[in-house]
Amino acid sequence: MSILGGNSSLSLPNTSFPHHHRRSPIPRSRPLLPLVASQTPDSDPEPEPAAAGAKPVPLVLSVAVGLAVRFLAPRPAEVSLQAWQLLSIFLSTIAGLVLGPLPVGAWAFLGLTAAVATHTLPFTAAFSAFTNEVIWLIVISFFFARGFVKTGLGDRFATYFVKWLGSSTLGLSYGLTISEACIAPAMPSTTARAGGVFLPIIKSLCLSAESKPNHPSSRKLGSYLVMTQFQAAGSSSALFLTAAAQNLLCLKLAEELGVIITNPWVSWFKAASLPAIVSLLATPYLLYKIFPPETKDTPNAPALAAEKLKLKGPVTKNEWVMIGTMILAVSLWVFGHAIGVSSVVAAMLGLSILLLLGVLDWDDCLNEKSAWDTLAWFAVLVGMAAQLTNLGIVSWMSSCVAKLLQSFSLSWLAAFCVLEASYFLIHYLFASQTGHVGALYSAFLAMHVAAGVPRVLSSFALAFNTNLFGALTHYSSGQAAVYFGAGYLELLDVFRVGFLTAMVNTLIWGVVGSVWWKFLGLY
């Protein structure tokens, strides 16, 4: 995915998040225009039309990667020509996701076209992933997220926590963090939670405290609250299987490699619960020390929250329907395994209820461009990854890495640490958590298994890791783009604090998680 792009995200109408790299010392309502002789004070220069088509340099580089693998790199004897050709197309596709010659969906379609046109894959195999249950579960999750935003239920829920805990800046941060963790299992889009619920609340609180975006006053309150919510979102997403789209994809890819997890929702929650909760409790306090706000007390925040709730009035009929529907969906996600209801069927039932009762209409679904875009490019990546597994490429790569690790006489625990660290740091090259999973999860899981790491532990650890690196940079995820674009964070602070917080979270998950997973019998 393009480094300037974002993760799969909810489309939020009438919402604009300005992008910036340097904070202006003087607030301005409009940019200063260059002095041009012919320019009048009342006329703005005509914008230049955006260039159409692919960006030449990224296009050449992306295609060159695949051509180099196909025609210059020696093909191993144990790898078939078909598999090697598909690998070259897949690597070109991944290179294009990073370099961005075209929008993600368009570039993925070109990769799929190349696979079919060169007879590397038959049409049915190339499009087989479009019927994947997990991908449709992810698509439906976007519609659920829109329901939370459209009804105002997510906003109401978070405002209650501000009212209860918001008398100090630290308490306010904990209230927002805890409320996101509570909403997460029923609102499976990190970007929707960021842009549709929490950023509007944070901006309202900050402006009332005279902490303005793109202004030195941002450090009074806004920088801390935005940074904390941004950094804590990874642990909220890791806590529940249905809290983020990439979680569902991870377990689907693990299943294709033979790692079957019984009752996945409950198994996931049990494995993630203790380290995730410790991280959620530690993050606001950690940032309070290393990235402190200038304003320590917010005595007006509870009153503002109470006033906002008063203006919202009583819970509406649509909000009650949303509450009941999500309780039903989450209950089926938890207990559906026992009664034979799959996760995607539970989501379909929930969406059907929302449509029947008018909480959402079909236009809401049709206008959710991010959902349909995700369906397109996600299915391409998943389909190619599955065919690479079927053709033996993944097993060949994992055996090569396993032999390399064995040559260093590494134990499975040491190999586990090396592979997890590599998987984590590679994300500096990606602008999407789901894109990272589609490109690398299967290969890294196969490497773990080949190195002797327990299979279920490997699949969970990589999946949890996927959530934790979502706050490394301003482009590392959809919520990263939303929070950075709000105007309260400096680029240098995002990289510095993102790395420090990631190291602390890695330590927490490594120490607390290893003890907890041993107790659960994962190794």
Side-chain angles (χ1 to χ4, degrees):
M1 190 171 193
S2 168
I3 258 181
L4 297 178
N7 195 17
S8 308
S9 61
L10 177 74
S11 299
L12 299 170
N14 302 321
T15 303
S16 175
F17 301 109
H19 294 277
H20 74 292
H21 292 275
R22 280 290 185 192
R23 181 179 296 122
S24 171
I26 302 173
R28 295 193 294 264
S29 59
R30 59 182 295 175
L32 296 177
L33 299 173
L35 296 177
V36 182
S38 61
Q39 181 178 302
T40 64
D42 297 325
S43 64
D44 289 340
E46 289 292 329
E48 294 184 6
K55 300 173 186 176
V57 174
L59 174 65
V60 171
L61 292 175
S62 300
V63 173
V65 169
L67 293 177
V69 171
R70 174 64 180 85
F71 296 106
L72 299 180
R75 177 171 60 89
E78 59 269 36
V79 176
S80 68
L81 178 60
Q82 179 191 9
W84 195 249
Q85 190 157 292
L86 180 59
L87 177 63
S88 67
I89 296 172
F90 181 74
L91 292 177
S92 267
T93 304
I94 297 303
L97 298 186
V98 175
L99 298 173
L102 283 172
V104 177
W107 185 252
F109 184 78
L110 261 64
L112 190 67
T113 301
V116 176
T118 58
H119 303 289
T120 305
L121 291 177
F123 184 89
T124 52
F127 281 85
S128 60
F130 282 84
T131 59
N132 187 297
E133 288 187 5
V134 171
I135 294 175
W136 279 99
L137 178 57
I138 292 168
V139 170
I140 295 173
S141 77
F142 282 99
F143 304 148
F144 283 164
R146 176 164 287 277
F148 268 88
V149 175
K150 182 179 179 180
T151 62
L153 179 61
D155 178 65
R156 182 187 294 274
F157 192 82
T159 304
Y160 272 112
F161 277 90
V162 173
K163 178 183 176 182
W164 296 331
L165 300 174
S167 58
S168 69
T169 302
L170 185 59
L172 184 58
S173 178
Y174 272 110
L176 293 168
T177 298
I178 294 170
S179 63
E180 178 165 11
C182 293
I183 293 174
M187 193 174 183
S189 170
T190 53
T191 312
R193 296 198 299 268
V197 177
F198 291 98
L199 185 59
I201 292 175
I202 291 172
K203 290 180 75 173
S204 176
L205 291 167
C206 294
L207 291 175
S208 69
E210 297 184 351
S211 179
K212 303 173 184 177
N214 303 311
H215 189 272
S217 64
S218 63
R219 292 304 294 262
K220 290 177 63 176
L221 184 64
S223 296
Y224 169 72
L225 289 182
V226 171
M227 183 69 82
T228 303
Q229 200 68 19
F230 176 28
Q231 297 298 328
S235 294
S236 298
S237 299
L239 182 55
F240 303 100
L241 175 61
T242 51
Q246 61 267 14
N247 299 346
L248 301 162
L249 179 61
C250 286
L251 291 199
K252 179 61 180 178
L253 294 175
E255 182 182 325
E256 291 178 354
L257 290 176
V259 183
I260 308 299
I261 298 172
T262 57
N263 200 355
W265 203 98
V266 174
S267 299
W268 178 290
F269 177 73
K270 286 169 60 178
S273 56
L274 187 59
I277 290 171
V278 172
S279 285
L280 284 169
L281 295 176
T283 299
Y285 184 76
L286 170 69
L287 294 181
Y288 195 76
K289 293 298 183 181
I290 67 173
F291 193 67
E294 295 174 2
T295 300
K296 307 297 183 183
D297 296 311
T298 54
N300 295 329
L304 290 170
E307 181 65 22
K308 182 176 180 179
L309 290 169
K310 183 178 178 180
L311 291 173
K312 288 177 73 70
V315 179
T316 64
K317 184 202 80 170
N318 282 353
E319 287 178 287
W320 281 119
V321 172
M322 196 75 206
I323 291 170
T325 301
M326 295 320 301
I327 290 175
L328 173 64
V330 172
S331 299
L332 289 175
W333 286 333
V334 174
F335 303 109
H337 179 77
I339 60 176
V341 177
S342 67
S343 296
V344 70
V345 171
M348 291 169 67
L349 290 171
L351 178 59
S352 297
I353 292 172
L354 296 179
L355 291 170
L356 284 170
L357 298 182
V359 176
L360 292 174
D361 55 47
W362 191 239
D363 281 342
D364 290 321
C365 297
L366 292 177
N367 291 331
E368 193 53 61
K369 295 180 181 179
S370 295
W372 304 114
D373 184 52
T374 298
L375 170 65
W377 72 265
F378 218 4
V380 172
L381 282 184
V382 172
M384 284 190 181
Q387 293 301 321
L388 286 172
T389 300
N390 294 338
L391 293 172
I393 283 288
V394 173
S395 60
W396 167 74
M397 292 176 63
S398 62
S399 64
C400 292
V401 173
K403 290 176 182 177
L404 177 63
L405 294 174
Q406 289 170 1
S407 68
F408 290 103
S409 300
L410 295 180
S411 64
W412 74 260
L413 182 58
F416 173 77
C417 294
V418 170
L419 291 171
E420 289 289 331
S422 301
Y423 183 77
F424 185 93
L425 294 174
I426 287 173
H427 194 65
Y428 277 106
L429 301 177
F430 281 87
S432 165
Q433 290 163 291
T434 48
H436 188 137
V437 170
L440 298 176
Y441 182 89
S442 295
F444 270 83
L445 179 56
M447 294 175 202
H448 277 67
V449 173
V453 184
R455 299 166 72 86
V456 175
L457 173 64
S458 301
S459 61
F460 276 150
L462 284 171
F464 299 152
N465 204 345
T466 300
N467 290 288
L468 298 181
F469 57 48
L472 272 178
T473 68
H474 64 300
Y475 58 81
S476 57
S477 60
Q479 69 268 25
V482 170
Y483 284 127
F484 179 70
Y488 282 99
L489 301 177
E490 292 277 11
L491 188 60
L492 181 61
D493 288 334
V494 173
F495 276 83
R496 178 179 62 86
V497 177
F499 181 79
L500 290 175
T501 308
M503 292 301 99
V504 173
N505 281 329
T506 299
L507 182 64
I508 290 172
W509 282 79
V511 175
V512 177
S514 61
V515 175
W516 181 238
W517 299 331
K518 180 68 173 177
F519 174 77
L520 293 177
L522 294 183
Y523 69 96

